[in-house]
Amino acid sequence: MGRFKQKKQRRSRFQVDGRPVGRSDLMSHVSAVADNVDDHGRVMFWDDPSLQLGQVTPDFSLDGAVTVAPGETDELPVALFEPERALMMRLPGQPPREQQVEVAIELGLARFGGGFAVLRSAPGWTMHRLADERLELRSPNGEAFSRIVVPHNPAWVSAAVSTGFVLCVYGIQLGVRTPPGVPADRYRDAERLEEFRRGRGRGFTAAGLVPYVNNRG
């Protein structure tokens, strides 16, 4: 007793699915998440009601920025890549960050925050349409960063071939998956838009104009 009071158990700094873990277990979990590139996704156009990003000026170029302007339209194809698992981290005095998104930004995608949308090219990144119709987002090191399966959309493919690139959006809370406990028929464009905007506002979204590579025979 006295000075020899029992010390309080210190709470682990690391958690996986709400469960405290040690550093080694955390590293194993991070490696397993990072090694899985088969994610969830959707394809649509820039003005889709679940995105409501506005309209695109027709003079966009991979060499510069793309801005939106009222009254001008172009069929800019968009692909959403949402990782299977999130890796959240919070440093003292800073907002929470999703680590896979932070890696994508370090590799050249831009943080796609809320408000006015300005898009730029992502040097070294490519998006491949594979022979089996999957879409694979590859980082500048040539490795698969994210891979998705989406229904075949001839109009979207045609636009991607015509423009030569796709707006690739990577992150959590993109409005891709129906949230747990929500019936699929109640997760409509308005609900997807709300989640998409929430993720952008929290800094959980990265994006860039990425060259489109058609690997179909």
Side-chain angles (χ1 to χ4, degrees), residues 71-103:
E72 298 179 323
T73 306
D74 207 293
E75 290 288 278
L76 178 60
V78 179
L80 304 181
F81 295 82
E82 186 170 292
E84 172 71 23
R85 299 289 299 273
L87 290 173
M88 303 302 299
M89 183 180 75
R90 183 198 293 268
L91 296 176
Q94 297 186 20
R97 293 300 188 195
E98 203 287 323
Q99 290 309 291
Q100 296 165 107
V101 171
E102 297 304 306
V103 170

Side-chain angles (χ1 to χ4, degrees), residues 22 51 63 105 110 217:
L51 302 179
D63 297 327
I105 292 171

Side-chain angles (χ1 to χ4, degrees), residues 176-203:
V176 171
R177 286 179 285 181
T178 303
V182 177
D185 61 351
R186 293 190 179 181
Y187 192 58
R188 295 156 295 195
D189 287 338
E191 289 74 26
R192 293 181 189 275
L193 174 63
E194 180 182 358
E195 184 177 5
F196 180 65
R197 287 177 170 173
R198 183 166 61 247
R200 287 183 65 193
R202 292 175 175 174

Side-chain angles (χ1 to χ4, degrees), residues 31-176:
S31 295
V33 172
D35 288 342
N36 176 36
V37 297
D38 290 306
D39 297 323
H40 302 267
R42 297 176 66 214
V43 297
M44 70 280 292
F45 293 102
W46 170 270
D47 59 355
D48 189 272
S50 65
L51 302 179
Q52 291 193 16
L53 293 172
Q55 296 176 312
V56 183
T57 57
D59 57 348
F60 55 82
S61 166
L62 279 177
D63 297 327
V66 172
T67 57
V68 296
E72 298 179 323
T73 306
D74 207 293
E75 290 288 278
L76 178 60
V78 179
L80 304 181
F81 295 82
E82 186 170 292
E84 172 71 23
R85 299 289 299 273
L87 290 173
M88 303 302 299
M89 183 180 75
R90 183 198 293 268
L91 296 176
Q94 297 186 20
R97 293 300 188 195
E98 203 287 323
Q99 290 309 291
Q100 296 165 107
V101 171
E102 297 304 306
V103 170
I105 292 171
E106 289 178 7
L107 292 173
L109 294 185
R111 194 180 306 280
F112 196 45
F116 189 76
V118 178
L119 306 177
R120 299 189 181 279
S121 61
W125 288 79
T126 53
M127 201 211 72
H128 293 249
R129 179 189 178 204
L130 305 180
D132 60 5
E133 291 288 353
R134 290 182 298 172
L135 299 179
E136 187 172 274
L137 180 62
R138 297 182 185 176
S139 61
N141 60 19
E143 296 180 353
F145 195 87
S146 181
R147 189 185 303 120
I148 60 176
V149 178
V150 295
H152 179 60
N153 184 328
W156 186 92
V157 171
S158 177
V161 171
S162 176
T163 61
F165 58 91
V166 173
L167 169 61
C168 291
V169 183
Y170 179 87
I172 61 175
Q173 297 185 351
L174 297 183
V176 171

